[in-house]
Amino acid sequence: MDKLLEIKDLYVKAGEKEILKGLNLTIKPGEIHVIMGPNGAGKSTTANVIFNSSEYTKTQGTIEFEDENINNLSTDKIAKKGIFMSFQTPEEIPGISTMNFLKYAKNKIENKPVKIFEFKEQVKKYMEELNMNPKLIDRDLNVGFSGGEKKKNEILQMLILNPKLVILDETDSGLDVDSIKTVSKGIDMYKNEQNAVLIITHNTKILHNLNVDYVHILVDGKIVKTGTQELAEEIEEIGYSQYK
């Protein structure tokens, strides 16, 4: 598969306001891409539109995953095809434990029941790697979790579900240095030559421990510059003012 995700000339509105204005992006297997930009540039919109969020209307352009147009697929079908997204503010779900949520999600993705003993051992191993409190696995999903625990829990979900493409939307937001290092470690554990990562962020902390292939600067709804990790370092020094 030459291209995992391809966004072509995408225009998107929220109500009457145009947010994306001709976005183009190609992600191949084995790559880590980063979208950076000032607040309001359209970064989170890009992530949500890939999942066909009902808040947005595509007025032009296409989103293709593994050469299939997914413009009109429902969010659950897009996820089942192998796309995973972490959210800026993970949802709390009372009444379902973290373990039961993981089992249910894994069953749905693979269309077969998980082998419970092996599954629990895998979850335990990943939680140890991510330095997670083992008691969290039996608590209701994200209920009473700290911000850092919620973000680690999403990285745990990513490792367990093992999707083809991961979209991390502001996963580093509000995290301390140690938590950011743990998130970066999780990305390294997940990453291989068959999958890909799209990181959406407005700062560079999460990139310090990763080998990034491409950095894209998104301003006013379109990508205005693409470069390597050095571009992120430049933004860290001088900001986005030159691109506005």
Side-chain angles (χ1 to χ4, degrees), residues 1-242:
M1 183 67 62
D2 184 35
K3 297 171 186 172
L4 201 55
L5 181 79
E6 186 169 26
I7 300 175
K8 296 186 282 190
D9 198 30
L10 188 64
Y11 287 75
V12 169
K13 284 185 174 182
E16 293 302 309
K17 184 180 180 183
E18 192 166 58
I19 300 179
L20 299 184
K21 306 171 183 178
L23 183 73
N24 291 283
L25 178 67
T26 299
I27 299 177
K28 297 178 180 179
E31 295 179 342
I32 297 180
H33 288 245
V34 178
I35 293 180
M36 301 182 69
N39 289 334
K43 301 187 301 298
S44 290
T45 296
T46 300
N48 285 303
V49 165
I50 291 170
F51 269 91
N52 202 17
S53 167
S54 59
E55 291 181 42
Y56 303 98
T57 304
K58 304 180 193 75
T59 56
Q60 185 177 316
T62 58
I63 302 173
E64 294 180 357
F65 184 67
E66 295 187 318
D67 294 329
E68 178 187 352
N69 187 321
I70 61 170
N71 274 28
N72 300 314
L73 285 186
S74 61
T75 299
D76 62 322
K77 287 181 180 175
I78 292 169
K80 200 160 186 178
K81 285 189 175 295
I83 305 179
F84 173 93
M85 180 166 136
S86 77
F87 298 92
Q88 291 184 39
T89 309
E91 289 286 326
E92 296 186 4
I93 305 179
I96 180 169
S97 71
T98 301
M99 177 63 85
N100 283 337
F101 174 82
L102 288 170
K103 281 192 293 189
Y104 176 79
K106 188 72 168 176
N107 285 342
K108 292 290 283 185
I109 292 292
E110 296 193 349
N111 275 328
K112 62 181 181 182
V114 299
K115 296 177 179 177
I116 297 299
F117 181 77
E118 290 177 18
F119 185 75
K120 286 185 174 180
E121 285 298 306
Q122 185 184 38
V123 171
K124 181 183 175 184
K125 172 177 166 289
Y126 284 144
M127 289 186 77
E128 288 172 355
E129 293 270 11
L130 296 173
N131 196 27
M132 291 179 69
N133 180 348
K135 293 180 180 178
L136 296 180
I137 198 68
D138 295 316
R139 283 171 49 184
D140 288 358
L141 185 66
N142 289 327
V143 176
F145 288 27
S146 69
E149 287 169 342
K150 287 180 178 179
K151 298 298 176 75
K152 287 181 183 180
N153 196 26
E154 289 209 307
I155 297 301
L156 173 64
Q157 292 169 35
M158 175 190 79
L159 291 169
I160 292 295
L161 299 179
N162 193 28
K164 297 171 185 174
L165 173 66
V166 164
I167 302 169
L168 302 176
D169 185 14
E170 305 281 8
T171 296
D172 51 345
S173 177
L175 296 187
D176 60 29
V177 173
D178 288 338
S179 293
I180 288 174
K181 284 182 179 177
T182 301
V183 168
S184 297
K185 179 182 179 183
I187 295 169
D188 266 339
M189 289 163 60
Y190 158 78
K191 189 71 201 60
N192 61 44
E193 289 305 309
Q194 282 74 51
N195 60 29
V197 178
L198 174 60
I199 298 169
I200 294 170
T201 186
H202 64 270
N203 65 57
T204 60
K205 291 177 185 174
I206 195 171
L207 310 183
H208 292 170
N209 301 297
L210 294 172
N211 293 315
V212 170
D213 296 291
Y214 297 100
V215 174
H216 310 279
I217 306 302
L218 183 69
V219 175
D220 193 28
K222 55 189 173 186
I223 291 171
V224 296
K225 187 170 183 179
T226 294
T228 57
Q229 193 134 356
E230 285 73 26
L231 180 55
E233 293 164 6
E234 177 189 308
I235 292 296
E236 191 171 31
E237 286 183 23
I238 62 176
Y240 300 106
S241 56
Q242 63 180 312

